[in-house]
Amino acid sequence: MVKVLVIGSGGREHAMVRKLAQDQKRSGRSLELFAAPGNPGIEALATCVAIGAEDVQGLLHFAKSEGIDLTVVGPEAPLAMGIVDLFEAEGLRIFGPNQKAAQIEASKAFTRNIAELAGVPSPAYRVFTDHDEALLYLHSLAGPWVIKADGLAAGKGVTVTDDLLEAETALAQIMKDKAFGEAGNQVVIEEFLQGEEISVLALVDESGFQLFPAIQDHKQVGEGDTGPNTGGMGTFSPVPVATKGVMDKVRDEIFGRMTRQLKAQGISYRGVLFAGLMIKEEQPYLIEFNVRFGDPETQVGLELLETDLLLAMEAVLDDRISEVSLDFSSDAAVCVVLAAGGYPGSYHKGDPITGLDELSGAYALHAGTAKNPAGQMVTNGGRVLGVVARGATLDEARAQAYHAIEGINFKGKIYRRDIGARHRGVIS
Ligand code: AMP
Ligand code: GLY
């Protein structure tokens, strides 16, 4: 019996727990699954314990007292807080990068600097600690302008705009008003890149890395990529722009160069490294690195992953990932997010959700749900559910997902009807 603890409470963590539960049926290896804090969807597959993802001492205490064999970290915050260092110092196995390596997500300036030394194709950039100097530089550039708070800002620290006033305001909010606290001690101003964005996840250890297929996220809340940015309204794979030629460059010029540079700087990396890339004329450029599985990229990536997830993560912990092949289905998969009306602004919580038990041809991963005192499933977040389906083609996967979505209802349900549709006619 292997005891596995997954830290986190969103759709990404539900996808991980689901994959672990499914793999054990195939492998015959018996797992006991825990999640902290988990969510009502995860509850059906794992024991949920009421410890927050950022209560690293509480998590350590639980892992020790329960005899957890492997802990898997979902979100970035505990990684940036050094949960991996803490667990490893106590002799516990934990999947994710250590605190030093987690800086790759926690500081954009740190990462731009390493990527530059590595020769990773990137936009031109400059880092500022002084508002007036930053403003002067901003005025020397032609728009559109890209302004980023250096640190973690819950996805809100980046402004991309062709309105100079908006750019100036963003800069002042970050550096003068400290809208993101210490995350705004430094600011990165960088060249605007036009192109198509893809997400590439990789399992990385000291021996090398293995890539997932490219996944595309739809970040804006409205159909046709309109309205404000969100945490992600839906994902799909395969992505037509990620040709073999592009993916060869992603392997060699992005991940190959970056992992070599990390080693040269004495930063040991074990876990998921997730690259947000802009593809422009068949050339990938680095937008950002994250140090964890993406959400909702994971929902699609794990649907297509055929390799046993636990075995793959154990390989990373033992520095054997270069000897393991990650196998993926040649099917297409899609994840459509159902959100609460108003998201990403303010939205209502506590609305009953119906139809979850009658899904066919697709399944729902919980992101922002709760059970009310009457035991009813209700909405409890901006992104409520992610509906995942697969098919031989993207159109088939889309048809399955959208058919299932018709049967799931809650007050104010919003979703994009064009997830994976950007390339209709190109695929299939
Ligand atoms: P980040 O948090 O760094 O991924 O930035 C959030 C979003 O802003 C990205 O997903 C891109 O859509 C956009 N973005 C960031 N940097 C750039 C850039 N240099 N050029 C164009 N768009 C960008
Ligand atoms: N979907 C983007 C992220 O997980 O950061």
Side-chain angles (χ1 to χ4, degrees), residues 90-318:
E90 298 275 345
L92 296 174
R93 304 244 297 167
I94 180 163
F95 179 86
N98 61 29
Q99 189 169 28
K100 192 170 176 193
Q103 284 296 107
I104 291 168
E105 178 162 356
S107 168
K108 292 183 189 291
F110 175 83
T111 304
R112 281 278 176 241
N113 180 250
I114 296 181
E116 184 172 27
L117 293 171
V120 169
S122 306
Y125 76 100
R126 283 192 53 189
V127 181
F128 296 92
T129 50
D130 180 78
H131 171 266
D132 294 352
E133 278 179 33
L135 188 63
L136 216 60
Y137 181 65
L138 197 69
H139 285 159
S140 77
L141 302 174
W145 296 273
V146 181
I147 295 137
K148 301 182 174 183
D150 175 58
L152 294 179
K156 298 198 174 81
V158 176
T159 298
V160 180
T161 178
D162 51 15
D163 176 346
L164 182 58
L165 190 63
E166 198 181 322
E168 290 171 351
T169 307
L171 192 60
Q173 279 177 343
I174 294 169
M175 302 201 85
K176 286 190 149 168
D177 308 344
K178 295 281 176 197
F180 309 108
E182 292 200 349
N185 287 352
Q186 294 191 95
V187 78
V188 182
I189 298 181
E190 60 189 44
E191 176 194 356
F192 172 80
L193 294 176
Q194 183 112 46
E196 213 174 303
E197 229 175 312
I198 62 170
S199 299
V200 182
L201 306 172
L203 294 184
V204 177
D205 67 20
E206 293 288 276
S207 75
F209 60 88
Q210 300 288 351
L211 300 184
F212 277 61
I215 298 168
Q216 194 163 61
D217 190 4
H218 296 253
K219 290 180 191 270
Q220 283 171 282
V221 72
E223 278 156 27
D225 296 331
T226 53
N229 266 332
T230 69
M233 291 300 287
T235 38
F236 66 93
S237 184
V239 187
V241 75
T243 58
K244 161 114 181 34
V246 165
M247 290 306 281
D248 284 346
K249 287 182 180 166
V250 169
R251 175 174 295 104
D252 298 341
E253 299 177 12
I254 308 287
F255 285 93
R257 291 179 189 175
M258 188 68 180
T259 51
R260 230 173 295 136
Q261 182 65 28
L262 288 173
K263 259 201 190 151
Q265 295 190 211
I267 299 172
S268 79
Y269 199 102
R270 290 188 190 84
V272 176
L273 187 60
F274 156 7
L277 302 167
M278 195 67 87
I279 312 300
K280 187 180 168 185
E281 291 157 5
E282 301 248 327
Q283 174 65 49
Y285 294 90
L286 179 69
I287 295 286
E288 65 163 358
F289 276 122
N290 296 311
V291 297
R292 49 163 175 90
F293 278 110
D295 190 343
E297 282 86 349
T298 304
Q299 289 83 322
V300 158
L302 294 186
E303 173 59 29
L304 297 177
L305 178 64
E306 288 177 345
T307 305
D308 186 293
L309 178 60
L310 183 60
L311 291 182
M313 292 194 295
E314 287 174 334
V316 166
L317 290 173
D318 298 338

Side-chain angles (χ1 to χ4, degrees), residues 1 22 50 64 85 146 150 188 275 350 375 404 409:
M1 176 73 80
Q22 277 194 333
K64 281 167 81 173
D85 311 65
V146 181
D150 175 58
V188 182
N409 285 300

